Amino acid sequence: MKRLSLALLGIGFTHLAFAANLSDIYHQAQNSDAAYASARAAYRAGVEKLPQGRAGLLPQASLNANVLNNDSHSSVFGDKNYTSNSAGITVTQPIYRKQNWERYEQAKLQVSVAGAQLANAAQDLILRTAQAYFDVLQSQDSISFVRAQKAAIGEQLAQARRNFEVGTATITDSNEAQARSDLASAQEIAALNDLQIKQRALQRIIGTPPPTLDTLGDKLHLTPPDPANMEEWIVHAEQNSPVLKAQRASYDIAQREVERNRAGHYPTLDAVASYSDNRNQNFGGFQVNTKNAVIGVEFNLPLYQGGLVSSQVREAVANQDKAREDLEDARRQVDLDTSQAYLGVTSGAAQVKALEQALRSSQTALDSTRLGLEVGVRTTVDVLNAQQQLYSAKRDLAAARYNYILSKLRLKAAAGILSETDLNEVDKSLLGSN
């Protein structure tokens, strides 16, 4: 809570010894994020589909037993009251059951779906953690910038009042500076509120109030995507995207479902064996003990089931068509996501460079305007506008740098290759990680 308070006061922007980097926050998220924990549980449930599907190919055994009190009345054999009991065991081994085999093949595909969905959830956790991490840093930057701007406006306000008192400036300059100061105060309140919201969003992922975070250094190494070709990234994404892997497996499952339902028309063949021991059974007025052992094969051919199987086949075919279209839609979405992420990296790097130049130009313009104010060719309003432009450039540059890093992570996620190693690379750009 002390670290949180420091951040809210704007003091925690400088790197401290106990600050956490992106990898540290990600490790907390792995252990605490509810959405990722849900995905892991779903995966554990998904892998159980395989033994369930395999069970249809293995022997099935059942044991039955009973003890019965019999009270019978007969005009021939008279009244009898006796206790009978029996026990038996039956074993069935499927020899040919097309439906069971297709269900087993589906189970293997369902495990693949579960694995792909878990991989996608892991990548999503990385992206959500990074987004929340940099959202907090950006909010901290906003507070830092608005406070610096507020301090600069305060200096201009004090100077405008002095100039008005000695008669070298009008009251308009003081009023303009006061208005800008009031606006900066409102912006500071909004920025502090936004920081608390962003910290809460990060807390939702890691389960505890976030500590002080490592901030981005002044120098950010801008590198183009490797390979520097969008089409190669799209091809790689179509091959490795966990979303597409899950969708392909789902389509294969739908194909198997068609065959499984068609197998409702096919014969079945089972090997069966049973043994029973019956005691005190009543046959013609006599209590008889019998033991019976049976072994053989059973053949069953369904002839007519009221059109049920044919309807189920048509339903499965329609679902197969749906799965095919879902797969195509997912492929197009992955292509789009990959293209957007690739362009986000390339244009993001260019934007960072442009904003760095804009920041230098804004600083030069402010210095010139201040000099002009001193010699009487510029007004206080001109200085305030130049200051506003400078801090806007700083804010835009900070946001562009964060977006550039996130675009690189999104590109690798779209291609299905995002991992914790990529977070370690990001950490190298954070203060305190070098």
Side-chain angles (χ1 to χ4, degrees):
M1 291 304 297
K2 178 180 179 181
R3 298 176 187 175
L4 181 59
S5 299
L6 290 175
L8 290 175
L9 291 172
I11 302 174
F13 303 154
T14 304
H15 173 73
L16 301 177
F18 50 77
N21 61 25
L22 182 54
S23 294
D24 296 332
I25 297 299
Y26 172 66
H27 292 153
Q28 293 184 49
Q30 280 183 308
N31 296 324
S32 302
D33 182 63
Y36 186 57
S38 174
R40 290 199 304 264
Y43 173 74
R44 294 197 304 271
V47 297
E48 293 301 324
K49 295 295 184 181
L50 185 59
Q52 292 171 18
R54 188 187 299 118
L57 306 177
L58 299 177
Q60 309 294 312
S62 63
L63 176 67
N64 61 83
N66 63 66
V67 177
L68 305 174
N69 180 60
N70 300 269
D71 187 5
S72 65
H73 304 275
S74 172
S75 60
V76 178
F77 301 107
D79 298 339
K80 290 185 178 296
N81 187 286
Y82 61 94
T83 299
S84 64
N85 56 76
S86 65
I89 185 171
T90 302
V91 179
T92 302
Q93 170 62 59
I95 298 176
Y96 177 78
R97 283 183 176 266
K98 178 67 172 176
Q99 284 184 316
N100 290 13
W101 179 258
E102 292 298 337
R103 187 177 291 111
Y104 173 61
E105 293 298 323
Q106 284 180 315
K108 291 192 288 186
L109 293 169
Q110 287 169 328
V111 172
S112 299
V113 170
Q117 289 174 338
L118 180 61
N120 187 58
Q123 291 199 148
D124 179 66
L125 178 63
I126 293 176
L127 288 179
R128 289 189 293 112
T129 303
Q131 181 71 64
Y133 184 98
F134 288 118
D135 281 348
V136 172
L137 293 189
Q138 189 168 350
S139 293
Q140 291 177 348
D141 288 344
S142 295
I143 294 174
S144 178
F145 296 149
V146 75
R147 284 179 173 169
Q149 184 178 5
K150 185 178 177 182
I153 292 173
E155 294 176 2
Q156 291 299 317
L157 176 59
Q159 183 177 352
R161 286 173 175 171
R162 289 193 300 269
N163 292 340
F164 175 71
E165 290 173 357
V166 298
T168 59
T170 65
I171 191 61
T172 302
D173 288 342
S174 297
N175 292 340
E176 179 68 24
Q178 183 64 57
R180 297 291 182 98
S181 178
D182 295 339
L183 179 60
S185 295
Q187 292 174 338
E188 181 182 15
I189 294 172
L192 285 169
N193 180 69
D194 182 69
L195 175 59
Q196 293 187 62
I197 293 173
K198 295 302 191 296
Q199 288 177 324
R200 289 287 182 177
L202 182 56
Q203 179 178 341
R204 178 177 181 267
I205 297 175
I206 63 176
T208 59
T212 301
L213 305 178
D214 279 346
T215 57
L216 197 59
D218 294 333
K219 297 296 183 181
L220 178 62
H221 188 48
L222 303 175
T223 57
D226 184 21
N229 183 293
M230 183 190 300
E231 295 304 320
E232 290 187 39
W233 279 97
I234 291 176
V235 170
H236 198 82
E238 290 184 354
Q239 293 174 346
N240 297 279
S241 168
V243 174
L244 280 182
K245 287 181 178 179
Q247 203 63 52
R248 288 193 189 99
S250 295
Y251 174 64
D252 292 339
I253 291 172
Q255 287 182 306
R256 292 282 182 181
E257 184 66 10
V258 174
E259 295 303 317
R260 190 183 73 82
N261 282 284
R262 282 177 178 159
H265 293 300
Y266 299 169
T268 62
L269 184 65
D270 301 321
V272 295
S274 65
Y275 175 81
S276 62
D277 187 350
N278 303 290
R279 304 293 177 91
N280 294 329
Q281 303 298 306
N282 186 15
F283 290 99
F286 298 96
Q287 274 68 53
V288 180
N289 298 332
T290 62
K291 296 181 179 180
N292 190 36
V294 176
I295 188 169
V297 295
E298 285 186 352
F299 175 83
N300 182 33
L301 177 63
L303 297 178
Y304 181 68
Q305 296 173 296
L308 173 64
V309 174
S310 297
S311 176
Q312 289 174 332
V313 170
R314 292 193 298 270
E315 179 187 11
V317 169
N319 286 330
Q320 179 187 11
D321 293 339
K322 178 183 181 299
R324 182 188 300 110
E325 298 305 324
D326 289 343
L327 174 59
E328 176 61 18
D329 182 63
R331 185 191 66 79
R332 294 179 185 181
Q333 186 62 50
V334 165
D335 290 355
L336 176 60
D337 292 343
T338 305
S339 301
Q340 289 178 332
Y342 182 90
L343 294 174
V345 176
T346 55
S347 64
Q351 187 177 22
V352 169
K353 292 180 181 179
L355 287 170
E356 287 175 343
Q357 181 58 46
L359 179 60
R360 289 190 290 267
S361 299
S362 297
Q363 183 64 59
T364 301
L366 176 59
D367 294 339
S368 300
T369 305
R370 283 173 172 167
L371 180 60
L373 178 63
E374 293 177 3
V375 298
V377 297
R378 293 289 185 177
T379 66
T380 299
V381 175
D382 294 328
V383 174
L384 293 173
N385 289 336
Q387 288 174 342
Q388 178 66 43
Q389 179 178 328
L390 174 64
Y391 290 113
S392 294
K394 287 184 176 181
R395 184 169 53 251
D396 293 344
L397 175 58
R401 296 168 79 207
Y402 297 140
N403 287 334
Y404 168 77
I405 294 174
L406 289 171
S407 292
K408 291 186 70 175
L409 297 178
R410 292 190 190 104
L411 179 58
K412 291 199 171 184
I417 57 175
L418 181 63
S419 67
E420 187 178 346
T421 302
D422 298 300
L423 298 185
N424 296 333
E425 288 299 315
V426 174
D427 288 336
K428 295 178 182 179
S429 300
L430 300 175
L431 292 177
S433 300
N434 297 321

